[in-house]
Amino acid sequence: QVQLVESGGGLVQAGGSLRLSCAASGRTFSVYSMGWFRQAPGKEREFVASMSWRGTSTDYADSVKGRFTISRDNVKNTVALQMNNLKPDDTAVYYCAAIPTAVAGPKSSWNTWGQGTQVTVSS
């Protein structure tokens, strides 16, 4: 199993940038596909981005394409989400997720989740 802890959330102005990080514990991090999800108050959890365990494939929600970038470091056991040109609609709790498959996307059965980190974008 792998355990996940997110960090890097905060308050930023619209148009600003923020970088989220997810630290994973466990010896099998490199064989998990990793993803980011978010949930705003009163809304369902939604897929944001994912990366395959080899780092050669990525997937992004249409709402964040061109603005967000997912990356991973299998030596440091971390996955990051660089968020640029943030909008008020990006305000949500962001969760790191993992699944032991080579490739995963928004409809995959993600089975490991972090505690979440709050991102608030002001206008």
Side-chain angles (χ1 to χ4, degrees):
Q1 298 291 331
V2 60
Q3 294 77 48
L4 309 173
V5 180
E6 304 94 334
S7 63
L11 174 64
V12 298
Q13 290 185 301
S17 298
L18 201 62
R19 183 179 177 87
L20 305 183
S21 182
C22 174
S25 63
R27 299 178 180 179
T28 59
F29 173 78
S30 63
V31 302
Y32 284 76
S33 289
M34 302 297 298
W36 287 96
F37 290 75
R38 66 187 183 186
Q39 186 167 24
K43 297 183 179 180
E44 296 182 344
R45 181 185 62 195
E46 66 174 343
F47 170 81
V48 176
S50 65
M51 175 171 279
S52 66
W53 69 24
R54 297 184 187 277
T56 57
S57 178
T58 58
D59 195 9
Y60 295 93
D62 288 341
S63 60
V64 306
K65 287 181 179 178
R67 299 189 299 121
F68 291 10
T69 303
I70 186 172
S71 62
R72 67 189 295 167
D73 186 332
N74 289 346
V75 175
K76 297 182 178 179
N77 289 344
T78 59
V79 60
L81 184 69
Q82 178 65 45
M83 305 184 293
N84 298 326
N85 191 24
L86 284 161
K87 305 175 181 180
D89 285 347
D90 294 320
T91 295
V93 175
Y94 283 70
Y95 298 91
C96 180
I99 183 172
T101 60
V103 180
K107 299 182 179 180
S108 299
S109 298
W110 300 87
N111 56 16
T112 302
W113 301 87
Q115 293 283 331
T117 185
Q118 177 71 49
V119 172
T120 302
V121 184
S122 64
S123 60

